[in-house]
Structure formats: C-alpha cells, structure tokens
Amino acid sequence: MSKIGRKPIEVPEGVEVRISGNKILVKGPKGSLDLDFHQDVEVKLAEKEIRVTVKRDTKQTRALWGLTRMLIANMIEGVTKGFEKQLELQGVGYRMSVQGKKLSLALGFSHPVEVEIPEDIEVKVEKNILTISGVDKQKVGQVAASIRALKKVEPYKGKGFRYVGEVVRKKAGKKAVGAEK
C-alpha cells in the first residue's frame, strides 16, 4: 500500500477544486492549474480534503497512486504559495538582465545569450542572483534547469550558474612538479 498515496490532501481556504472525469482543476489566489490523471486512479473530493485511491491493484497503478497524489498536492501548494528557484551567477564579466519577456545574459561567449521567459513564469535579477517563480513546480524547475545548462559551473574556477546553496567541489589545477635535472 502506498504510504504517500493514502494520505489525504487538505484543501485550504480560498482554493477551489473541481473534478470531472479524469481531469482535476485547482484555482487559487496565485492562479489555476489542471491535471489529466490516469483512468486507473480515482480522485474524490470530500468536504475540505482530497483522497486518491486506485481502482485495481497492479504494480503500475501503485506507482501512479503516489505520483497522482503528489502532483495534486503540488498544484494546491503552487496556487496558494507558489514555487521559487534561485540561481547564482559567478564569474568576472558575467552579467544578466531582464528586458520585457526576455532574459539577456553575458556569459563569456562572443555574443549575448537571450532566453525567452514563458508566460506564467516570473523572473527577477538582483546583483548576481536570478529568482525564477511561478505556480507550476515542474515548469519553474525546467526553466531553472535550462538556464543553468547554458553555463554550468566549471570545476576549476567555479564560474557559471549554480543553485543558491549548491556546493561545488573544485578540482586542483595543474601542479608544478619539481625539476629533476
């Protein structure tokens, strides 16, 4: 039995949940999200909590049970609090700025790199910290990962994008070996 799947999901005040067929719609103060779930998973709304159960017990449905429950819980957290990822840019001459719906980056290449920001994602730049926020956890994480992939932290000097709080192990460079003549 799924330990995650059997926990009920509390619906806080100000959040509206609608279930129709295999689709759930969650509306809250920060926005709205919807999810199409598998037909072998059953989602029931009772008073102020959501319960997820499986229709038949197979290995696949047990896996989908916990997954569906966590996706719905993340949707509710997203429309109430929102999600946020922070990236830190380190390196001499590396800069970033937001211009409308584009993020302009100077990453040591011969040209500036421009990244389109999706509609429901908000991006802020303060000094060398890039804050990505939105209601959809998956989309926030994907945007952060794609920006980080443009210039990952290199292991010798530590230049590039890293998540705030991420520890990067540095490698030792070339060492001068004593002259043996």
Side-chain angles (χ1 to χ4, degrees):
M1 198 164 159
S2 174
K3 291 180 182 181
I4 294 170
R6 68 177 164 209
K7 290 182 187 175
I9 306 164
E10 286 188 37
V11 180
E13 288 295 319
V15 175
E16 181 187 326
V17 178
R18 271 191 265 137
I19 301 168
S20 61
N22 286 351
K23 190 173 188 125
I24 183 167
L25 177 75
V26 179
K27 282 186 183 176
K30 292 204 174 244
S32 66
L33 294 169
D34 59 7
L35 172 73
D36 292 324
F37 52 89
H38 199 271
Q39 67 258 12
D40 290 341
V41 178
E42 192 172 12
V43 179
K44 293 179 185 173
L45 177 64
E47 302 212 9
K48 283 292 180 183
E49 70 178 25
I50 299 171
R51 289 202 174 267
V52 180
T53 56
V54 289
K55 293 179 182 173
R56 53 193 174 109
D57 192 35
T58 64
K59 191 173 182 177
Q60 183 189 12
T61 56
R62 284 194 304 269
L64 291 170
W65 186 11
L67 171 73
T68 305
R69 189 249 177 231
M70 279 311 299
L71 289 174
I72 295 169
N74 286 338
M75 288 169 59
I76 290 174
E77 186 180 339
V79 297
T80 53
K81 300 176 195 168
F83 291 101
E84 178 178 284
K85 292 267 187 186
Q86 289 187 317
L87 292 171
E88 183 179 2
L89 180 61
Q90 288 188 354
V92 177
Y94 290 5
R95 291 181 305 281
M96 55 187 160
S97 63
V98 178
Q99 298 156 350
K101 275 296 197 184
K102 284 190 178 182
L103 178 66
S104 183
L105 304 164
L107 300 173
F109 300 126
S110 61
H111 59 283
V113 179
E114 290 192 346
V115 178
E116 281 287 328
I117 301 168
E119 280 294 313
D120 47 351
I121 299 292
E122 188 177 314
V123 175
K124 287 185 273 184
V125 175
E126 293 175 20
K127 293 187 181 180
N128 66 332
I129 306 282
L130 176 69
T131 306
I132 302 161
S133 57
V135 294
D136 190 354
K137 185 175 187 176
Q138 190 270 333
K139 198 174 266 188
V140 169
Q142 184 61 51
V143 169
S146 63
I147 291 173
R148 183 176 185 268
L150 294 172
K151 193 75 171 183
K152 283 188 179 174
V153 179
E154 55 98 15
Y156 297 102
K157 292 183 181 176
K159 294 171 16 174
F161 277 112
R162 67 180 76 195
Y163 291 107
V164 171
E166 179 182 1
V167 178
V168 176
R169 289 179 47 196
K170 289 187 180 177
K171 291 183 179 179
K174 291 182 182 177
K175 293 184 179 178
V177 179
E180 295 187 21
K181 288 186 181 179

